[in-house]
Amino acid sequence: MKLTDNVLRSFRVAKVFRENSDKINCFDFSPNGETVISSSDDDSIRVQLFLLPPDRPKRTLYSKKYGVDLIRYTHAANTVVYSSNKIDDTIRYLSLHDNKYIRYFPGHTKRVVALSMSPVDDTFISGSLDKTIRLWDLRSPNCQGLMHLQGKPVCSFDPEGLIFAAGVNSEMVKLYDLRSFDKGPFATFKMQYDRTCEWTGLKFSNDGKLILISTNGGFIRLIDAFKGAVLHTFGGYNNSKAVTLEASFTPDSQFIMIGSEDGKIHVWNGESGMKVAVLDGKHTGPITCLQFNPKFMTFASACSNMAFWLPTIDD
């Protein structure tokens, strides 16, 4: 099945998981699309089996002491990295199989607000309110690279894992070559600064041609990954309380989606810039997390509940 405007408009909630007592702050699909792992402000880590119909999580773990945020699958089976939102700002590498920490990555002195796993190897990057971006390798607790910035960073790898982008101070995007990042960015794109909001996320499309910038305001921006030109600014969704809402591409790089504080999901065509759908998932709070499954025709959205969506027509 190919994603089209009509198929996107046909998506409906097929299943809702209601185990969390507080908001889900992050989730991530496994590379094979079969499970989704979530982190929540209730300190829980839950693994949902995505293809089977059980109503309870396959696995629930807790990180009561340190809290858990920005959870990401690594390439090794049953392992994740995540940031802490209590006590310290260390990043933790956890084996889900036996609920044991494999390694700790200390260094940040303020909360980690961005975490991106390389799509190809054991490298990952983190950005923190301490105004640094750190480059890591899962095999070593020592930071492999350190960049000092002028402000709060957001960062992400490109789909080939060769470059990464850093959004700095909510006004510029810097592109770095992973092999020579210490020489500084090879491209810098200055954006119009908007003092009504700040950038909260940055993602590449799967074809590597586009970058999506999320904000805690009422708009998101789509830019050309090679030239930095703003292609579209998408708005018209509710975010009056400056919530961090996750925006995402569909796997074919054609559509852009974001949830809103009233529980609805807005979808645009990335090429035309036109809004193609507004989907109502009956969420009880702001949809803070939203991602399309990398392998299957389905996506998930989350407030304190997590909803799985399926299309209802064949196009």
Side-chain angles (χ1 to χ4, degrees):
M1 189 198 270
K2 191 169 178 293
L3 271 180
T4 64
D5 295 6
N6 282 339
V7 169
L8 275 161
R9 281 193 278 269
S10 83
F11 270 86
R12 299 290 180 268
V13 174
K15 190 166 212 54
V16 180
F17 293 92
R18 297 187 170 87
E19 287 83 15
N20 291 93
S21 60
D22 207 334
K23 87 164 181 180
I24 293 168
N25 52 40
C26 186
F27 67 74
D28 192 32
F29 281 104
S30 58
N32 65 9
E34 291 178 9
T35 63
V36 64
I37 191 155
S38 63
S39 56
S40 167
D41 287 356
D42 64 13
D43 305 330
S44 69
I45 297 168
R46 295 180 197 271
V47 184
Q48 309 283 14
L49 251 177
F50 189 73
L51 298 177
L52 298 178
D55 281 317
R56 54 183 187 278
K58 182 184 174 220
R59 194 88 204 275
T60 302
L61 309 171
Y62 288 93
S63 180
K64 293 261 183 216
K65 185 175 178 185
Y66 302 105
V68 54
D69 198 356
L70 299 177
I71 199 156
R72 305 278 185 256
Y73 274 112
T74 71
H75 300 292
N78 270 327
T79 61
V80 292
V81 288
Y82 66 83
S83 66
S84 317
N85 50 21
K86 295 179 179 178
I87 297 189
D88 68 9
D89 305 290
T90 297
I91 296 164
R92 291 175 163 76
Y93 181 22
L94 177 70
S95 164
L96 301 172
H97 167 66
D98 50 8
N99 194 20
K100 288 200 166 69
Y101 291 116
I102 302 167
R103 198 157 283 120
Y104 303 94
F105 303 95
H108 283 300
T109 56
K110 289 188 176 170
R111 184 163 173 171
V112 174
V113 291
L115 193 60
S116 178
M117 192 76 216
S118 164
V120 296
D121 61 22
D122 285 337
T123 312
F124 68 97
I125 50 174
S126 58
S128 160
L129 294 178
D130 63 15
K131 300 181 183 175
T132 65
I133 287 177
R134 287 174 181 263
L135 185 65
W136 310 88
D137 188 305
L138 284 173
R139 295 162 294 192
S140 164
N142 303 319
C143 172
Q144 307 291 301
L146 174 62
M147 277 153 288
H148 291 276
L149 304 164
Q150 252 51 71
K152 174 191 168 182
V154 288
C155 54
S156 184
F157 279 99
D158 83 316
E160 262 136 34
L162 297 173
I163 66 170
F164 63 89
V168 187
N169 246 5
S170 301
E171 61 180 346
M172 64 184 81
V173 175
K174 294 172 180 278
L175 299 181
Y176 294 85
D177 187 312
L178 199 58
R179 293 153 300 193
S180 56
F181 66 87
D182 48 338
K183 296 188 171 71
F186 65 83
T188 299
F189 310 136
K190 192 103 163 57
M191 308 275 141
Q192 190 178 348
Y193 181 64
D194 187 315
R195 54 173 67 87
T196 64
C197 62
E198 60 178 23
W199 294 0
T200 53
L202 183 150
K203 289 183 182 179
F204 280 89
S205 57
N206 272 349
D207 62 10
K209 295 176 181 174
L210 304 166
I211 293 173
L212 183 59
I213 297 169
S214 320
T215 74
N216 62 359
F219 68 91
I220 51 179
R221 280 210 178 104
L222 186 66
I223 69 169
D224 183 299
F226 301 106
K227 301 180 186 141
V230 176
L231 302 174
H232 297 292
T233 300
F234 303 116
Y237 58 92
N238 290 358
N239 191 14
S240 61
K241 297 188 178 73
V243 179
T244 296
L245 304 171
E246 181 178 23
S248 291
F249 289 99
T250 51
D252 61 6
S253 308
Q254 302 299 310
F255 298 93
I256 287 94
M257 319 170 70
I258 193 168
S260 61
E261 68 183 7
D262 60 4
K264 292 187 171 69
I265 292 168
H266 297 250
V267 187
W268 295 268
N269 183 306
E271 195 169 352
S272 69
M274 301 296 290
K275 189 174 282 191
V276 297
V278 179
L279 306 169
D280 191 353
K282 304 286 191 287
H283 277 282
T284 53
I287 298 175
T288 45
C289 306
L290 177 69
Q291 278 179 44
F292 220 95
N293 189 306
K295 297 291 183 197
F296 300 100
M297 184 63 79
T298 176
F299 68 86
S301 57
C303 52
S304 57
N305 302 333
M306 183 180 287
F308 287 153
W309 299 70
L310 291 171
T312 53
I313 61 164
D314 296 326
D315 206 45

